[in-house]
Structures are given as C-alpha cells and as structure tokens.
Amino acid sequence: AGLNARLELEGCTVRENHSHGVAVAGGARGTLRECKVILNRGVGCAIIGAQVSLNQTLVQSNHSNGIAAGPGSQVDIFGSGEEHGPSSVVRQNHGCGISVSGDGATVSAHGTVLSGNLEHGLAAAAGAQVKLHLVSIECNLASGVEVSGGPGEATHVFLSLSSVKDNRRDGLSATGAGATLLAHKTTVHTNARYQFNAEEGAHVEHDHVPAGGHNFRAAVNTLRAASRGVALSGGAAKKNESPPR
C-alpha cells in the first residue's frame, strides 16, 4: 500500500494464505502477469483505491470473491483476445467472480472467463463502472451479471461481443433507478430464470444475437408476458427486445 508503492508479479503462484491472496490499496499500483491466485481464505485479489492489471492470470477457488474492487480502484483484466488463445480466468470462487463497488471504481475486462463462481459472475454496485469485451460468463451459481443502483448511484455495465449462458439465476439483471446494463452483440441464453431482468427502475438494453434458438427460456410459474425470458417490473425500462426463435 502507499502512493508510490508498486507490486509486480510474473509467473507466480499465490496460494493458501489465511487472508487475501493479493491486496493493493492506497494509491499503489500492481501488475500480475501469467500468475495463479488460488485457494486463499479471503479475496483472491482485493483492490481499494489502487490500480491493478491482470494479464493471462488465473484466480480460482478463493474463499471469498475472486476479484474485489472498492472505491477509487481501477482494474484492467486481459487475455489474448484470440478465440483459442490464453485468457484470464476467474472461476470457482466462493463469492462472486468479480465484485466492484463504490464511486470511482472501474473494471475493464478483455478476453476473460468468469465461470463456476458460487455467487454472481460479475456484481457491480454503488456507482461502479464496468466494460466487458470478449468475455465469457457461464455456469455461475447466481446471475451472470448483477447491477445494483440507487439514489445518487449511477452504476453502469457495458458488454460487447461476449457470452452469458448457463447461469443458475438470470443472465443479465439490473435493479434500482441508477442501474444501467447495455449489451452489444452479446449472446445471452439458457440461463435458469430470466435472460434479461430489470427491476425498480433499472435500464437494460441489448441488440440480441441468437444462439441456436435457445436465447429465451420460459421461467417456471411466471406470467405469460415474462415467459419470453424478459422480466420487467417497477417502472423498469427495457429496449430492443428480440422475439424468440
């Protein structure tokens, strides 16, 4: 920690610590390249008020969130971006894959996989800003993406050329008047409840890309209006709805 502090790890394994695997705070900067952050008893990578870059790094099986970014944090996560190239992978953590919350908290991910986490693949709240490009979000035990807003809390998540599938709750979900979730050329399908869910004045917008005709799955015991895989409630705004195919 500290304004001039710098952490650089390359090809390292950080494992089985009694608290967080990596913690960067207080204006410090950190870089992890081709590392493994696994089996730590706290957060895999905890960032508060610091800048951290993860490149082709595995964050797995930590006992809390895989990556947690607090107020004033800037986190950049990179893979190769190639179809069969190496990715950064955040998987099988006991909390969310990535949790980002607070004013000034930003996360940008490119060529990244968020899979099999015990909560959401990505959770954003309290004014956080997130951009995801070429990201696969799948098989998480809650929603793929969960965005929360509130009075004075403008929380934004933008996805492009990404995939959100086979999550145990919603694919893309936003709650609260300050929550905005935009998806561009992103496939969203075979999630267990709704593919797109907006509640309490949240805004969800997408230009849907079909994927094998299974993009919209009917939710069990829901009204007919919601059975196309889209749920809206409490004044929520939803644009560009595509019909099932």
Side-chain angles (χ1 to χ4, degrees):
L3 188 60
N4 297 315
R6 188 169 184 88
L7 170 71
E8 294 192 16
L9 300 175
E10 183 168 359
C12 296
T13 298
V14 182
R15 61 179 296 159
E16 297 179 272
N17 293 287
H18 288 275
S19 183
H20 308 317
V22 174
V24 187
R29 296 189 177 193
T31 301
L32 285 75
R33 186 177 293 106
E34 297 180 359
C35 292
K36 297 179 180 179
V37 184
I38 58 176
L39 296 167
N40 299 287
R41 294 190 180 179
V43 174
C45 297
I47 304 107
I48 300 177
Q51 298 182 34
V52 172
S53 172
L54 296 90
N55 195 330
Q56 298 178 32
T57 287
L58 172 67
V59 182
Q60 177 177 328
S61 300
N62 298 285
H63 290 195
S64 182
N65 300 311
I67 298 170
S73 300
Q74 178 182 327
V75 181
D76 297 302
I77 308 168
F78 301 98
S80 69
E82 301 174 0
E83 184 176 358
H84 300 294
S87 301
S88 283
V89 178
V90 185
R91 68 186 181 198
Q92 297 172 353
N93 297 285
H94 295 188
C96 298
I98 300 174
S99 175
V100 52
S101 179
D103 288 338
T106 65
V107 169
S108 176
H110 180 279
T112 301
V113 176
L114 310 177
S115 68
N117 298 287
L118 270 60
E119 296 183 15
H120 308 299
L122 167 77
Q129 311 290 310
V130 180
K131 292 183 178 180
L132 307 176
H133 181 69
L134 292 172
V135 172
S136 176
I137 305 173
E138 57 189 45
C139 301
N140 298 286
L141 269 61
S143 294
V145 176
E146 182 74 23
V147 185
S148 301
E153 295 179 350
T155 307
H156 299 281
V157 173
F158 175 73
L159 300 90
S160 62
L161 296 174
S162 295
S163 172
V164 184
K165 65 179 183 178
D166 297 331
N167 297 286
R168 296 287 183 86
R169 195 179 299 168
D170 302 326
L172 303 177
S173 180
T175 303
T180 301
L181 204 166
L182 308 177
H184 174 65
K185 293 185 177 180
T186 290
T187 60
V188 183
H189 64 94
T190 53
N191 298 287
R193 193 172 70 154
Y194 301 114
Q195 308 315 307
F196 307 91
N197 185 26
E199 300 182 3
E200 300 176 13
H203 178 81
V204 175
E205 184 173 343
H206 69 100
D207 51 1
H208 193 60
V209 177
H214 299 290
N215 303 69
F216 292 86
R217 173 175 287 179
V220 178
N221 297 326
T222 59
L223 296 175
R224 184 178 182 84
S227 67
R228 296 169 66 188
V230 177
L232 302 174
S233 65
K238 169 75 174 56
K239 292 185 178 180
N240 300 333
E241 179 179 338
S242 298
R245 298 185 179 184

